[in-house]
Amino acid sequence: MPNNSSVTMFILLGLTPDPPKQKLVFVIFLIFYGGTFVGNMLIIVTIKFSRILGSPMYFFLFYLAFADFCFSTTVAPRLIVDSLSANKIISYNECMTQVFSVHLFGSLEIFVLILMAADRYVAICKPLHYPTIMRRQVCVILIVFAWIGSFIHSSSQIILLLKLPFCGPNLIDHYCCDLQPLLKLACTDTYVINLLLVSNSGVICSTSFLILMISYVVILHSLRNHSAEAWKKALSTCTSHIIVVIIFFIPCTFMYTRPPTTFPVDKMVTVFYTIGTPLLNPLIYTLRNAEVKNAMRKLWNVKIMTK
């Protein structure tokens, strides 16, 4: 990557400078990442090989689990390793790559959540047209557009970031490279660039959050005259989706819709949506979904019997 500064590396200060607490960070986040890895891979493998999970909802859930796995992997392994390291050094290129990856898979998760909401809207509000509207070819095209949109978003972020000169200091008071800590280190006026970044990431987060919440309100409102059983089933499905949306978007909106300032709470907020959300999503979508649990049991029972 073209380096527009004299800084060739950054030093991450991590979650805490206290050595005993760093060991605790290692243990906790090793468990968290292990749970994220196992949970999301279980969903990916189950949907990939299960014959009963062929609906569009599970097609999108497959990509949500994939985005969660990659999103967490861009951040968690370095945090775990650095918690036991005295020198938390990250090169300029690695730092920029991490920013690009975080925004690529983070925005992919956002777009997939929107597609899942659209799928639920069509399934509940237009059930007779559902097989035609949400056929497999349409779902594939929508996912391709989600990938393209994610790539455009992350590319625009990194292009703006590469234009910033860094001439020291190179201490990042964070456990990963992200926009706000890097804007704080830039040795130039970042007002215009911050406006561009906020208009990109901030608008995507806030607008997507608003669209998703409105869509679920519309879905539940449309069922007001339906049977109690239909209402209960839709409420159960929508509740799990709404939980995911709130957990992901509130911290995301807090981080990317504000001036280029940093707060002590930023690290924990970032932990919540980069590590917490990818860990919770598999639990929410499996523990609250009988179809996924049954498919997992059948798939793994078959594999055990074949051995």
Side-chain angles (χ1 to χ4, degrees):
M1 294 181 184
N3 190 343
N4 192 30
S5 64
S6 58
V7 173
T8 59
M9 65 181 67
F10 297 99
I11 299 174
L12 299 169
L13 298 183
L15 279 176
T16 175
D18 187 14
K21 289 182 180 179
Q22 287 181 356
K23 294 179 181 178
L24 186 61
V25 166
F26 172 82
V27 173
I28 291 174
F29 286 97
L30 182 63
I31 294 171
F32 282 0
Y33 182 64
T36 301
F37 181 91
V38 172
N40 285 291
M41 288 305 296
L42 271 175
I43 290 177
I44 290 170
V45 172
T46 300
I47 295 175
K48 180 69 176 176
F49 295 101
S50 176
R51 295 179 180 179
I52 64 175
L53 300 179
S55 68
M57 183 176 74
Y58 299 114
F59 176 80
F60 294 132
L61 180 57
F62 174 90
Y63 283 97
L64 180 68
F66 177 78
D68 275 333
F69 170 74
C70 295
F71 189 42
S72 181
T73 301
T74 60
V75 174
R78 175 169 284 277
L79 170 61
I80 293 167
V81 172
D82 284 350
S83 63
L84 297 181
S85 175
N87 298 317
K88 302 174 178 62
I89 296 173
I90 183 170
S91 71
Y92 178 90
N93 286 347
E94 288 175 328
C95 187
M96 297 301 114
T97 301
Q98 188 176 60
V99 173
F100 178 84
S101 301
V102 165
H103 284 269
L104 175 67
F105 295 113
S107 56
L108 178 62
E109 178 165 354
I110 289 173
F111 294 140
V112 172
L113 286 171
I114 292 174
L115 294 179
M116 292 178 74
D119 172 73
R120 290 301 85 200
Y121 171 80
V122 177
I124 294 171
C125 299
K126 299 181 182 296
L128 297 178
H129 300 285
Y130 181 73
T132 304
I133 296 174
M134 299 303 296
R135 60 188 184 275
R136 179 51 65 98
Q137 295 92 329
V138 173
C139 294
V140 171
I141 291 171
L142 291 173
I143 283 294
V144 169
F145 277 117
W147 274 105
I148 293 172
S150 302
F151 183 79
I152 292 172
H153 162 72
S154 54
S155 297
S156 62
Q157 299 291 81
I158 203 68
I159 288 170
L160 289 172
L161 207 55
L162 289 172
K163 293 181 179 180
L164 292 177
F166 298 97
C167 33
N170 64 342
L171 296 176
I172 299 177
D173 189 15
H174 215 297
Y175 64 87
C176 66
C177 290
D178 204 1
L179 300 178
Q180 297 294 355
L182 289 170
L183 285 173
K184 188 177 179 181
L185 295 181
C187 49
T188 187
D189 183 11
T190 59
Y191 178 77
V192 175
I193 289 183
N194 182 71
L195 283 179
L196 294 172
L197 293 174
V198 167
S199 66
N200 190 333
S201 294
V203 169
I204 287 177
C205 286
S206 55
T207 305
S208 300
F209 179 61
L210 186 62
I211 290 172
L212 286 165
M213 295 308 295
I214 290 174
S215 69
Y216 288 119
V217 170
V218 170
I219 290 171
L220 294 175
H221 183 262
S222 68
L223 291 171
R224 65 189 186 282
N225 296 325
H226 286 61
S227 65
E229 184 180 352
W231 167 261
K232 185 178 179 181
K233 184 178 180 181
L235 183 63
S236 176
T237 301
C238 291
T239 299
S240 62
H241 291 205
I242 290 170
I243 291 171
V244 171
V245 168
I246 291 174
I247 289 173
F248 182 82
F249 279 95
I250 289 181
C252 179
T253 304
F254 171 77
M255 291 299 298
Y256 296 113
T257 56
R258 69 185 202 210
T261 54
T262 56
F263 301 104
V265 74
D266 284 355
K267 295 180 185 180
M268 292 311 300
V269 172
T270 306
V271 164
F272 209 74
Y273 72 86
T274 58
I275 298 175
T277 303
L279 173 65
L280 293 175
N281 279 355
L283 298 177
I284 291 170
Y285 281 108
T286 54
L287 294 179
R288 295 182 57 85
N289 193 310
E291 282 185 312
V292 175
K293 289 189 289 186
N294 290 334
M296 283 184 177
R297 292 192 194 101
K298 289 180 180 179
L299 179 65
W300 296 109
N301 285 339
V302 168
K303 286 188 176 292
I304 292 171
M305 289 174 65
T306 55
K307 290 181 179 180

